Amino acid sequence: MNSPTLFVGLGGTGSRIVAKVSEMIPEEQRMNTGFVIIDTDVNDLPEIKSSHSQIHAVQTSARMTVGQYLDHNKHARDSWFPISKFLHGKVLSEGAGQIRAISRLGFESVMKQDGLSELHKAIDELYKVDAAAQDQSLRVTIVSSLAGGTGSGLILPVAMYIRHYLTTKMQQSANVCRGFFVLPEIFYDVIPEGQKNHLRANAYASLRELDAFLMKGSQSLPGEYSDSVKLEFPKTGDDGYEEYQVLPYDYCFLFDAQNADNKKLNSLEQYMDHAAQILFSMSCGPVAKRINSSEDNVIRTISAHKGRNRYVGGGASRLVYPYEDICSLIGLEWASSNISSQWLEYD
């Protein structure tokens, strides 16, 4: 049996990909695999949840405006949320609108209200299945695009929160966290030309922040940035905040539109299907154990490069056995043989 595995989809793209992965899991592995989707958009979550009962859903928004959120979260207002009165009328339940700070604002509010019970439940279920699961490292895969607001605004808070929860609540410090991030070019065919720069800006900012926290977690961050690179989390049921000293990701998979031969797929849906196939193959498929073993053995290489080689690519291929074609060929060969040897007799 593969290691216990948790898939977490962030935003619309991440949630759809995780839903596709959940459909591919064979029955014998379902008790060892958990699925969570997290989104601010109230319209997307029920649609996925209604057709995928095995998925735990977390809505990180309420029918409140950004201004109302900031009235309740003075820490965000005074320390990190961008000052812009144009944002104050934005309703979070309609989505983050490609603004990453709004996504983080909603997540902090859910944390303060102890609203992550579905995430906790998904993790707890993986350790209740079998006592042997306690002896295996949990594999967490967080899936998101870097182009929008919700997912790219949550890739750091959610990863660090899960790591902190596993260490403090579950006493499981030995876990592996992968990030699978969809880059902007994949969406170019489905968005207006004028919005492409917004997607590029979100991806660039997200990767810069991600890289800084990877360096901090690997203790390779230059000392001049040690005080500025930090992420504080609200304490549950408390007005205080605390900083989580954890490495957000062990490996970050960057999923782009072009392959090594500069070739592309034909549609966004094909990219979503391919992403799901990659995630299934490396986490739950027949080669998953070999991949996990390979990851465990690269610790020396990571150490030699001071944690700067955590970015990877990913791909998947499929060998399709042409069953129908083989049946047709055998049938035609049989007919040809019989006609050739018996034709004169019947005639």
Side-chain angles (χ1 to χ4, degrees):
M1 180 179 287
N2 290 332
S3 300
T5 303
L6 177 68
F7 292 97
V8 182
L10 307 180
T13 298
S15 296
R16 287 194 293 273
I17 293 174
V18 165
K20 288 178 178 290
V21 175
S22 73
E23 297 169 358
M24 303 168 70
I25 304 298
E27 191 62 37
E28 62 271 16
Q29 286 186 245
R30 289 195 175 278
M31 295 297 290
N32 208 38
T33 312
F35 303 94
V36 181
I37 56 175
I38 302 175
D39 201 357
T40 54
D41 195 326
V42 69
N43 300 307
D44 293 340
L45 286 174
E47 182 179 348
I48 295 177
K49 181 64 179 172
S50 63
S51 56
H52 301 81
S53 58
Q54 71 275 25
I55 294 180
H56 298 269
V58 177
Q59 181 182 334
T60 57
S61 63
R63 290 197 173 277
M64 293 169 55
T65 65
V66 169
Q68 290 172 319
Y69 270 95
L70 293 176
D71 288 339
H72 290 88
N73 190 344
K74 295 181 174 56
H75 178 268
R77 183 193 64 191
D78 298 337
S79 62
W80 61 264
F81 195 84
I83 300 173
S84 174
K85 292 185 177 180
F86 295 104
L87 298 179
H88 284 203
K90 168 70 176 171
V91 179
L92 262 70
S93 59
E94 297 173 357
Q98 295 188 0
I99 301 173
R100 297 180 307 120
I102 289 180
S103 178
R104 179 184 165 189
L105 183 66
F107 185 72
E108 280 201 5
S109 177
V110 170
M111 282 186 64
K112 288 181 72 69
Q113 299 171 15
D114 198 18
L116 296 174
S117 58
E118 289 297 314
L119 174 60
H120 301 161
K121 188 184 299 183
I123 295 173
D124 296 346
E125 287 173 354
L126 291 174
Y127 286 103
K128 289 179 181 177
V129 174
D130 191 343
Q134 298 285 351
D135 299 327
Q136 300 185 66
S137 299
L138 175 65
R139 305 275 171 170
V140 180
T141 300
I142 296 176
V143 188
S144 173
S145 83
L146 296 185
T150 297
S152 57
L154 290 179
I155 60 171
L156 281 171
V158 170
M160 296 175 75
Y161 178 84
I162 291 176
R163 269 267 162 88
H164 181 76
Y165 180 83
L166 288 171
T167 302
T168 59
K169 304 295 184 182
M170 302 296 295
Q171 303 301 309
Q172 295 292 327
S173 57
N175 54 80
V176 176
C177 187
R178 300 166 173 147
F180 188 92
F181 305 128
V182 180
L183 297 177
E185 190 177 349
I186 285 176
F187 304 96
Y188 282 0
D189 292 337
V190 297
I191 64 167
E193 184 68 30
Q195 293 186 20
K196 291 182 181 179
N197 280 339
H198 295 294
L199 272 61
R200 297 185 188 109
N202 272 341
Y204 176 76
S206 299
L207 285 172
R208 285 296 300 268
E209 291 177 355
L210 174 63
D211 198 52
F213 279 92
L214 288 177
M215 284 193 288
K216 184 173 184 176
S218 300
Q219 299 181 351
S220 61
L221 184 70
E224 60 192 285
Y225 302 112
S226 58
D227 293 333
S228 58
V229 177
K230 64 179 181 179
L231 189 59
E232 295 180 321
F233 292 82
K235 296 179 179 179
T236 303
D238 194 329
D239 292 333
Y241 284 77
E242 59 182 327
E243 184 179 358
Y244 295 168
Q245 301 290 343
V246 294
L247 176 72
Y249 295 96
D250 296 287
Y251 309 99
C252 298
F253 291 79
L254 302 181
F255 184 62
D256 205 0
Q258 300 184 49
N259 65 8
D261 297 324
N262 295 321
K263 294 181 179 179
K264 297 183 178 181
L265 297 178
N266 297 320
S267 67
L268 177 61
E269 192 63 25
Q270 285 188 355
Y271 281 111
M272 300 297 101
D273 289 339
H274 189 53
Q277 185 66 54
I278 294 171
L279 291 168
F280 170 77
S281 298
M282 73 180 188
S283 300
C284 305
V287 298
K289 290 182 179 179
R290 183 175 179 180
I291 292 174
N292 291 343
S293 177
S294 298
E295 287 182 350
D296 292 340
N297 290 331
V298 299
I299 186 65
R300 290 183 180 177
T301 307
I302 291 176
S303 177
H305 291 82
K306 298 182 179 180
R308 301 297 294 135
N309 53 340
R310 297 186 185 275
Y311 297 100
V312 295
S317 60
R318 187 167 50 183
L319 179 63
V320 179
Y321 185 78
Y323 176 79
E324 296 294 338
D325 292 340
I326 296 296
C327 289
S328 178
L329 176 63
I330 292 174
L332 291 171
E333 289 286 354
W334 176 82
S336 175
S337 176
N338 276 296
I339 290 174
S340 299
S341 61
Q342 301 181 23
W343 177 257
L344 291 178
E345 260 183 60
Y346 285 112
D347 188 64

